[in-house]
């Protein structure tokens, strides 16, 4: 990143950086660029593409049907029911 790009970013983000902050930002991005060039030097020709860096397995459980409540038990607390359904007041006319 150069000073011109940093000035454009300041304008886009509507911020003002002090000279010290500008130097810190430029230094930070210079270090990141150096790290990227180091990564580009690594030979990955024999490495297969991966979705995740670490191998992981998902522990699956058996899908069991459990009936925790019956319809009748749930409707005991409802103010109004009709033929097994909850009745609610009309909201939209």
């Amino acid at each position: 990143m150069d000073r011109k790009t940093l000035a454009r970013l300041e304008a886009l983000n509507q911020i003002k950086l002090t000279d010290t902050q500008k130097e810190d930002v430029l230094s930070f991005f210079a270090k990141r660029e150096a790290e990227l060039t180091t990564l580009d030097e690594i030979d990955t020709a024999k490495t297969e593409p991966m979705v995740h860096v670490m191998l992981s397995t998902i522990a699956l459980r058996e899908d069991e049907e459990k009936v925790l409540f019956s319809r009748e038990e749930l409707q005991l607390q409802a103010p109004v029911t009709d033929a097994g359904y909850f009745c609610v007041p009309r909201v939209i006319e």
Side-chain angles (χ1 to χ4, degrees), residues 9-27:
L9 287 173
E10 278 186 282
L12 284 172
N13 291 293
Q14 299 179 353
I15 58 172
K16 286 285 185 193
L17 298 176
T18 64
D19 290 337
T20 307
Q21 290 172 329
K22 289 178 185 178
E23 291 302 321
D24 289 343
V25 169
L26 292 172
S27 170

Side-chain angles (χ1 to χ4, degrees), residues 1 9 11 18 41 44 55 63 67-68 70 72 76 84 89-90:
M1 178 180 293
L9 287 173
T18 64
E41 294 171 1
T44 59
L55 297 175
D63 194 13
V67 179
L68 300 177
S70 69
E72 292 78 22
L76 287 176
R90 182 178 295 261

Side-chain angles (χ1 to χ4, degrees), residues 46-83:
K46 297 180 183 177
T47 306
E48 291 185 34
M50 299 172 16
V51 175
H52 298 285
V53 177
M54 305 205 41
L55 297 175
S56 63
T57 57
I58 300 173
L60 300 176
R61 60 175 171 76
E62 290 295 321
D63 194 13
E64 300 173 3
E65 181 182 346
K66 294 181 182 177
V67 179
L68 300 177
F69 305 101
S70 69
R71 179 182 292 220
E72 292 78 22
E73 288 175 322
L74 293 173
Q75 288 185 344
L76 287 176
Q77 298 178 19
V80 181
T81 60
D82 182 27

